Amino acid sequence: MLFSQGKKLKVTLLYLFVLYSDQHSAQPETGQVKGIVGKSLSFPEKVLKSGSLLYGGLGNIAHVYPGKQSNTNLENRFKNRLHWNNVTGFFTLTDLQIDDSGVYTVENSDEEKRTHTFQLTVYYVLSKPQVTVHDNSPCTVVCSVENRREVTLSWYRGEEKLNQTSSPDLNITLSLPLKVDEQNRDSYRCEAANPVSKETAVVPNYCIESDPSKVTDGIERTRDCLIISVICILVASGLVGLAIYLKKRRNGHSHADSPERKQDDIQYAEISHIKPADNQVSNNATG
């Protein structure tokens, strides 16, 4: 009697376990989909003839009848942003916003009723992080970026991750300091990343010398070079001016001693012809 009751209990427990397993496996799996603020997203489940799209606790937000679509638009937030393509059969949500994140369910009634659930998460595209020099001795830089959903901020040297930070507080700016090795300055990069975007920044060029005396020496060398350059320009200008003056003076003397100038200084006397007297002519004839 006890054996029979124990056998029945085992059968009952086995039946309940199988029933529970069937019910659990029959529940639709939730697919993870990611969207970007301002972009569009299509839920990857076709509804070619009839079906519905449900959102969280709002229930049915769109229903498809054979050959047409009817948007219930329970909230103005979906107005003119929710569409159904009668060719592809996909529901598409345009101009995504952060608060569009949530659970969406596509019910397909084309042949036999099927249900597919999607967890949509909408992200911002990250801006480029900013790297600033915090101290020159030794060279310490700080990388910062505006915090968004699931953002991580990291420092890398080559492919090696040096450190990383993140925060659930979306109202702050993420910051991450780093002491830079001068010998490997060009190998550092700061990376801001989330599931839909990635941006990087590098160490500024003026973070080169960590020793303030070296920086001062460099400034003094630059100043000395500028002074020498100015002096050289002034000397060159003076030499050019002197050469021009001497050339003009030499040209002036040459012009004064030229044959043309000497001819101009000669004075010519006027030649006059004297007519002989009549008595002189007669004497000459008699003689």
Side-chain angles (χ1 to χ4, degrees):
M1 183 70 177
L2 291 175
F3 176 78
S4 177
Q5 289 179 351
K7 187 176 181 179
K8 288 181 180 180
L9 179 60
K10 289 181 179 180
V11 171
T12 302
L13 291 174
L14 180 62
Y15 173 76
L16 291 175
F17 174 78
V18 172
L19 181 62
Y20 172 79
S21 298
D22 290 342
Q23 289 179 348
H24 182 72
S25 60
Q27 292 187 4
E29 295 183 359
T30 300
Q32 301 294 323
V33 290
K34 299 178 179 64
I36 299 174
V37 170
K39 303 295 184 178
S40 301
L41 180 132
S42 296
F43 296 98
E45 173 61 24
K46 295 181 179 180
V47 175
L48 296 176
K49 296 179 181 179
S50 62
S52 302
L53 178 66
L54 297 82
Y55 173 65
L58 296 180
N60 193 340
I61 58 174
H63 188 82
V64 175
Y65 299 95
K68 63 179 181 179
Q69 175 191 17
S70 173
N71 291 334
T72 58
N73 289 324
L74 298 179
E75 286 191 356
N76 290 332
R77 57 188 288 186
F78 293 115
K79 187 176 182 179
N80 299 324
R81 296 199 300 127
L82 184 58
H83 310 279
W84 172 73
N85 189 310
N86 60 358
V87 177
T88 63
F90 292 142
F91 289 104
T92 299
L93 188 58
T94 63
D95 191 20
L96 289 172
Q97 306 299 320
I98 285 293
D99 59 0
D100 288 334
S101 301
V103 178
Y104 293 79
T105 302
V106 178
E107 291 184 348
N108 189 330
S109 303
D110 288 345
E111 297 177 358
E112 57 181 18
K113 190 170 183 178
R114 299 193 310 272
T115 300
H116 292 266
T117 303
F118 302 96
Q119 173 67 55
L120 169 63
T121 306
V122 182
Y123 299 90
Y124 284 103
V125 173
L126 293 177
S127 58
K128 189 179 182 66
Q130 301 295 316
V131 178
T132 56
V133 176
H134 182 69
D135 193 1
N136 280 326
S137 181
C139 183
T140 303
V141 293
V142 177
C143 184
S144 59
V145 72
E146 185 178 0
N147 194 26
R148 299 292 190 181
R149 172 178 285 163
E150 298 181 37
V151 172
T152 59
L153 190 63
S154 309
W155 271 110
Y156 287 85
R157 183 171 58 198
E159 297 303 319
E160 178 188 3
K161 182 184 290 187
L162 301 176
N163 50 21
Q164 178 177 297
T165 187
S166 61
S167 174
D169 186 355
L170 303 183
N171 297 317
I172 66 170
T173 297
L174 289 178
S175 297
L176 192 61
L178 177 73
K179 289 185 179 180
V180 176
D181 178 7
E182 292 180 24
Q183 303 300 323
N184 300 302
R185 182 182 62 84
D186 294 335
S187 65
Y188 291 97
R189 75 178 189 277
C190 178
E191 181 180 281
N194 67 4
V196 298
S197 63
K198 181 186 298 183
E199 292 288 342
T200 61
V202 297
V203 175
N205 290 332
Y206 54 85
C207 182
I208 299 175
E209 301 286 356
S210 62
D211 187 352
S213 63
K214 294 181 181 179
V215 177
T216 303
D217 292 343
I219 295 174
E220 291 180 351
R221 285 195 298 270
T222 302
R223 183 183 60 192
D224 293 341
C225 290
L226 289 175
I227 293 174
I228 293 172
S229 298
V230 171
I231 292 174
C232 290
I233 292 173
L234 292 175
V235 171
S237 300
L239 292 175
V240 171
L242 180 60
I244 294 174
Y245 170 76
L246 293 175
K247 184 176 181 181
K248 288 183 176 180
R249 185 175 180 182
R250 185 171 59 251
N251 290 340
H253 284 294
S254 299
H255 182 70
D257 297 336
S258 63
E260 291 79 2
R261 179 57 181 262
K262 290 182 179 179
Q263 290 178 3
D264 292 342
D265 294 339
I266 298 174
Q267 296 182 357
Y268 295 91
E270 183 179 357
I271 299 175
S272 59
H273 297 277
I274 302 174
K275 186 177 181 182
D278 293 341
N279 56 354
Q280 290 181 353
V281 174
S282 300
N283 293 332
N284 291 335
T286 304

